[in-house]
Amino acid sequence: MVRRFLLILLLFLAGDLYFYQAVTTLSHNPTLDLSYWLIDILLIAGIIAAIVLLRSGKHVQRFMAVLMSTMLLIFIPKLFSSLFLLAEDIIRVFRGFPPRSIYVSEATLAFATMLFLAILFGLTRGKHFYKVKKETLHFPDLPEAFDGFTITQISDVHSGSFSDAAGVQKGLDLVNAQNSDLLLFTGDLVNNMASEMDPWIPMFTKLKAPYGKYSVLGNHDYGDYIRWESPAAKEDNLARVKAVHGEIGFNLLLDEAVKITKQGQSIALIGVENWGKGGFHKYGDLKRATAHVPDNAFKILMSHDPSHWDEVTVDHDQHVHLTLAGHTHGMQFGIELFGFKWSPIKYFYKQWAGMYSQDGKYLYVNRGFGYHGLKGRVGIWPEITVLTLKRGNAA
């Protein structure tokens, strides 16, 4: 973590010095220069303070959230708008390095301003700028009774980050407005502590689905990211998190499967505990969860971390038709426009948002209902997924 901060600091300084060329091309006002560098000095001081606090073992989640937001507002517009300056410099190389063009510098500052405003919107309004994503999936072996069956998926609530009751209610109302047959939640109800959910229980109990509400745990639900006074306190917290699922009407699946029955036919809904690649805990056991599921059953799996699909589910000895995951949040930062999709999280997860398929098996990665770390969302908006199951082959 400390090395990452140092790398970010170096990138920040290099980008800032480069962007400053556009400022000096347009103005030589000493007050403007002082303000420009004063903001940088304060931000750099914040990064250094974060490094010191992290090395001392202190928990600085709120401070880190403020620091991340400030860096996004200041650094990202400068970084991306500096591409104008880079393009100009490539041309200047072949022209003997004439003075910078005022028009290019104006375009650089104008683009930086647009990015600043877009990020500001994401940090202030983006966390409740819910989007409904709809997909239709075709399966030749889907039981006839489930032709047209609808599923709403939400993921990554992170109730410990909530502060705006009206904003949360807006999202929950949108979930109910989908009128889906089944409601599935794929983990991370809290950031760390079960008590974070207490103020929101009455609101979440009002979620409805005629064929039931089911859930699994995410990596944050286990309380692994904070220090507890004793192992017993941590265990009590996890027990309380599990109890909260029941209190809000969700049937929590812990490496187990249930039948969803309609008109005498059924599909298998499977839920595993969190399983993640790398440094994430591998609590889940898909073999145990499917031990009593017939091979020929139509299977839907809830597994919080999408890396489980790539590492385990695709090669599982039973065919899992559809897996629903979350976890990545789309990093809460990126671009999704006109079919183009990008976020830095793609360099860490092969499957990070939306639909993926392999060997007739599907994975859908929800972008998350809530937010964590960064106190907002920029370009990757909070998501409510609606999946429609159809019998037969896609046209």
Side-chain angles (χ1 to χ4, degrees), residues 71-352:
M71 286 199 67
L72 277 177
L73 276 171
I74 295 175
F75 179 57
I76 296 300
K78 291 179 181 178
L79 177 66
F80 283 95
S81 60
S82 291
L83 294 174
F84 288 89
L85 300 178
L86 179 61
E88 182 188 23
D89 281 344
I90 293 173
I91 296 173
R92 290 172 72 211
V93 167
F94 298 100
R95 297 179 60 190
F97 277 101
R100 286 196 176 278
S101 166
I102 291 177
Y103 300 110
V104 173
S105 293
E106 287 178 339
T108 301
L109 291 177
F111 189 65
T113 301
M114 290 173 56
L115 287 177
F116 178 88
L117 294 175
I119 294 171
L120 184 63
F121 173 84
L123 294 175
T124 56
R125 305 291 297 276
K127 53 192 168 186
H128 298 301
F129 195 54
Y130 302 99
K131 297 296 179 182
V132 177
K133 302 282 187 178
K134 296 186 176 184
E135 296 277 355
T136 299
L137 294 171
H138 293 79
F139 300 96
D141 55 346
L142 179 72
E144 292 182 7
F146 288 86
D147 187 22
F149 193 79
T150 55
I151 299 170
T152 288
Q153 178 201 6
I154 58 174
S155 191
D156 299 271
V157 165
H158 286 285
S159 56
S161 299
F162 288 156
S163 59
D164 180 0
V168 175
Q169 188 62 60
K170 172 186 172 184
L172 296 178
D173 288 343
L174 195 56
V175 171
N176 275 337
Q178 305 315 307
N179 294 313
S180 290
D181 296 307
L182 188 66
L183 177 56
L184 304 179
F185 168 58
T186 46
D188 277 358
L189 187 63
V190 299
N191 293 343
N192 295 293
M193 303 178 67
S195 58
E196 296 166 2
M197 189 62 189
D198 290 347
W200 312 102
I201 289 176
M203 297 169 64
F204 276 78
T205 57
K206 297 177 182 177
L207 291 173
K208 305 295 182 184
Y211 285 85
K213 303 185 294 184
Y214 295 86
S215 59
V216 293
L217 296 174
N219 56 299
H220 280 267
D221 295 320
Y222 295 88
D224 290 332
Y225 304 122
I226 61 173
R227 293 179 181 176
W228 297 92
E229 59 185 26
S230 67
K234 182 180 178 182
E235 291 176 7
D236 289 344
N237 181 74
L238 178 57
R240 176 60 189 152
V241 169
K242 294 176 179 178
V244 170
H245 281 257
E247 290 179 18
I248 60 175
F250 279 80
N251 184 348
L252 179 63
L253 300 181
L254 302 168
D255 289 345
E256 57 188 312
V258 295
K259 283 185 179 181
I260 307 297
T261 303
K262 181 180 181 183
Q263 297 175 8
Q265 297 181 320
S266 66
I267 60 176
L269 177 63
I270 306 158
V272 295
E273 296 201 50
N274 188 70
W275 191 105
K277 68 176 182 179
F280 291 100
H281 286 292
K282 296 172 174 58
Y283 294 117
D285 188 334
L286 184 57
K287 285 189 176 181
R288 182 167 62 219
T290 57
H292 302 292
V293 177
D295 289 346
N296 63 349
F298 185 90
K299 305 173 191 70
I300 297 175
L301 169 66
M302 293 188 291
S303 180
H304 176 71
D305 191 317
S307 66
H308 185 239
W309 185 74
D310 210 35
E311 299 284 336
V312 176
T313 307
V314 168
D315 294 326
H316 184 57
D317 55 9
Q318 291 196 47
H319 183 91
V320 178
H321 298 72
L322 172 63
T323 300
L324 303 180
H327 181 62
T328 71
H329 302 204
M331 209 170 179
Q332 297 171 212
F333 176 82
I335 302 170
E336 288 194 85
L337 287 172
F338 311 115
F340 175 76
K341 182 175 68 175
W342 177 88
S343 167
I345 198 67
K346 70 174 291 183
Y347 305 113
F348 301 92
Y349 286 89
K350 290 170 60 177
Q351 298 86 19
W352 58 276

